[in-house]
Amino acid sequence: MHGLRRWWDDTAGGLPATFWYLWSGLLINRAGAFALLFLSLYLTVARGAPPSLAGLVVGAYGIGGAAGTLLGGVLADRWGRRATLLAAHLVAAGLMAALAFTTHLAVIAVLATLVGVAHSMPSPAFVAAIVDVVPEARRSRAFNLQFWAFNLGMAVASLLAGILAEASFTALFLVDAAATLAAAVVIVLKVPETLTRRPALTPRAVMGRRPGLHTALTDRTFLVFVGLTFLLAVLTMQTSTIMPLAMRADGLRPSAYGLVVALGGALIVVGQLFVPRLIEPYRKSTVLAASTALMALGFGTLTVADGLPLYLGAAVVWTAGQMLAAPPNAQINADLAPPELRARYQSVFYLTFPAASFVAPALGGLSLEHLGERHWLVVGALGLLAAAGHLLAGPPRERRVAALRAAAVEPVSSAR
């Protein structure tokens, strides 16, 4: 019992109450965000849309998501984290309710685009608020718990979506809207505004330019990190875009693909809470290099995979890499962001995921078609390239973080 309590204190102890309310809101948000998982099926089955049109509507949702990520970052730094989270959740709930009763395909496409905007706006605000309230020494644990909640919520969403879709597509959208409103209620009642107005700390002494969204888009050290994260996202997207095609080519049934995906999700839910103590003694760049190398090894193994056991073994390896990468990846992103631009930096960082969701299937499909199983050698080489990049980029990142901390301390010293 004492050992269990000590493990929990090491894993989640010392985190402020506001973090746990944010965490709860995120978990409810993800567990309820299931309607869009079945959007293409809804369009083809319930609305009679051809698959090509259904694909365009789903793509419109993705385009809206990219715009919403940037908009959410800007608003979270201007309006505040709480106001942005509330606005995004309330708008999303209204749009989902409208989708439940809309029959015209053109209107559905517009609503799907707007839902993409509203669904993506909270991400920068959630992370910026966590950084605002969690002491630096505990942020790795906080981000680890955030990643765990995200995956647990997605697992619940997948289960509920299948049940509700069989019962009623209208219920699917309405329950999604209700869950979004529930997350908004948690934010209204329990989450205070965490944004602190302060003098700009990115100024010429550190960044050499006036602060704004363009600051993040022209920050070379940060953009190198974003580029490496993009490579990691491209690797991760292989499981949902290219791997199903490879498994079908190997004669495996869809149920086999579901088993591989379920194994990865189960490993994250069960094992993610043990990651902080495992990686704490090591430098973040070293952990990221090792985690990306594990992902490269896992996906590279698929070059010789021809049966379910090897796919399952490879999934264990690349999932371990994903689990190790999550906390340092989020923490480095937070460390590189000046306080007054925290949400804007988060929004640029989160653009890597919609970009990877486009690049991975577009180029991966061509690669698999022309290279066959050698496609996985290319994916593995890409992962090893990213691992080397993290080792090389680590020292400049650490110098940049030290400069930002010095700039944050200087105004306090001057005031004293």
Side-chain angles (χ1 to χ4, degrees), residues 212-232:
L213 184 59
H214 69 278
T215 305
L217 293 171
T218 54
D219 181 346
R220 293 182 181 178
T221 303
F222 175 67
L223 290 180
V224 168
F225 172 68
V226 169
L228 292 171
T229 303
F230 170 73
L231 293 180
L232 185 145

Side-chain angles (χ1 to χ4, degrees), residues 15-72:
L15 294 171
T18 300
F19 165 78
W20 288 111
Y21 292 126
L22 288 165
W23 183 90
S24 300
L26 176 64
L27 179 60
I28 296 170
N29 180 294
R30 287 297 92 197
F34 42 65
L36 273 300
L37 296 175
F38 280 75
L39 180 59
S40 58
L41 185 63
Y42 163 73
L43 290 168
T44 53
V45 173
R47 298 302 172 206
S52 58
L53 180 58
L56 287 175
V57 174
V58 175
Y61 172 83
I63 293 172
T69 298
L70 291 176
L71 178 62

Side-chain angles (χ1 to χ4, degrees), residues 42 47 94-103 108 111 168-175 177:
Y42 163 73
R47 298 302 172 206
L95 291 170
M96 294 305 297
L99 271 174
F101 300 105
T102 301
T103 59
I108 291 174
L111 289 175
S168 167
F169 282 112
T170 300
L172 187 74
F173 289 109
L174 290 178
V175 174

Side-chain angles (χ1 to χ4, degrees), residues 20-330:
W20 288 111
Y21 292 126
L22 288 165
W23 183 90
S24 300
L26 176 64
L27 179 60
I28 296 170
N29 180 294
R30 287 297 92 197
F34 42 65
L36 273 300
L37 296 175
F38 280 75
L39 180 59
S40 58
L41 185 63
Y42 163 73
L43 290 168
T44 53
V45 173
R47 298 302 172 206
S52 58
L53 180 58
L56 287 175
V57 174
V58 175
Y61 172 83
I63 293 172
T69 298
L70 291 176
L71 178 62
V74 172
L75 293 181
D77 281 337
R78 290 186 178 178
W79 289 0
R81 322 312 192 199
R82 186 174 185 269
T84 302
L85 287 171
L86 283 176
H89 281 78
L90 293 175
V91 171
L95 291 170
M96 294 305 297
L99 271 174
F101 300 105
T102 301
T103 59
H104 197 284
L105 288 174
V107 178
I108 291 174
V110 173
L111 289 175
T113 305
L114 295 175
V115 169
V117 174
H119 273 181
S120 298
M121 283 177 61
S123 295
F126 265 125
V127 178
I130 290 172
V131 177
D132 291 340
V133 301
V134 176
E136 184 177 345
R138 306 295 296 177
R139 283 177 190 164
S140 179
R141 289 169 171 80
F143 288 131
N144 190 66
L145 287 164
Q146 177 207 4
F147 181 70
W148 183 72
F150 183 90
N151 282 277
L152 178 60
M154 290 300 294
V156 173
S158 300
L159 177 63
L160 292 177
I163 297 172
L164 286 169
E166 290 186 3
S168 167
F169 282 112
T170 300
L172 187 74
F173 289 109
L174 290 178
V175 174
D176 191 317
T180 305
L181 280 178
V185 170
V186 172
I187 294 166
V188 167
L189 297 179
K190 295 297 185 179
V191 177
E193 180 52 62
T194 64
L195 175 63
T196 302
R197 305 291 179 182
R198 66 188 80 193
L201 298 180
T202 55
R204 299 170 168 94
V206 179
M207 303 295 296
R209 56 183 69 86
R210 295 178 64 185
L213 184 59
H214 69 278
T215 305
L217 293 171
T218 54
D219 181 346
R220 293 182 181 178
T221 303
F222 175 67
L223 290 180
V224 168
F225 172 68
V226 169
L228 292 171
T229 303
F230 170 73
L231 293 180
L232 185 145
V234 169
L235 264 66
T236 303
M237 290 291 177
Q238 299 297 313
T239 57
S240 59
T241 57
I242 306 303
M243 191 180 71
L245 303 177
M247 294 184 73
R248 186 177 65 181
D250 285 331
L252 296 172
R253 298 171 60 85
S255 58
Y257 169 70
L259 184 60
V260 172
V261 174
L263 174 63
L267 288 173
I268 291 173
V269 171
V270 173
Q272 190 67 45
L273 295 180
F274 298 93
V275 169
R277 290 189 66 182
L278 180 64
I279 66 175
E280 193 170 17
Y282 304 101
R283 296 170 65 178
K284 298 180 187 68
S285 56
T286 304
V287 174
L288 282 176
S291 62
T292 311
L294 278 174
M295 293 180 68
L297 176 62
F299 286 111
T301 301
L302 298 186
T303 306
V304 296
D306 55 3
L308 182 58
L310 199 49
Y311 274 99
L312 291 172
V316 171
V317 176
W318 74 58
T319 302
Q322 289 176 301
M323 292 165 63
L324 294 176
N329 213 47

Side-chain angles (χ1 to χ4, degrees), residues 301-355:
T301 301
L302 298 186
T303 306
V304 296
D306 55 3
L308 182 58
L310 199 49
Y311 274 99
L312 291 172
V316 171
V317 176
W318 74 58
T319 302
Q322 289 176 301
M323 292 165 63
L324 294 176
N329 213 47
Q331 190 172 1
I332 290 172
N333 184 34
D335 290 343
L336 289 174
E340 73 281 5
L341 299 178
R342 198 164 273 158
R344 288 178 173 90
Y345 269 64
Q346 293 294 334
S347 67
V348 174
F349 172 80
Y350 274 99
L351 281 178
T352 59
F353 301 104

Side-chain angles (χ1 to χ4, degrees), residues 360-379:
L363 297 184
L366 289 173
S367 175
L368 187 67
E369 181 179 342
H370 291 90
L371 298 178
E373 292 179 342
R374 289 174 295 172
H375 162 78
W376 300 111
L377 290 178
V378 175
V379 174

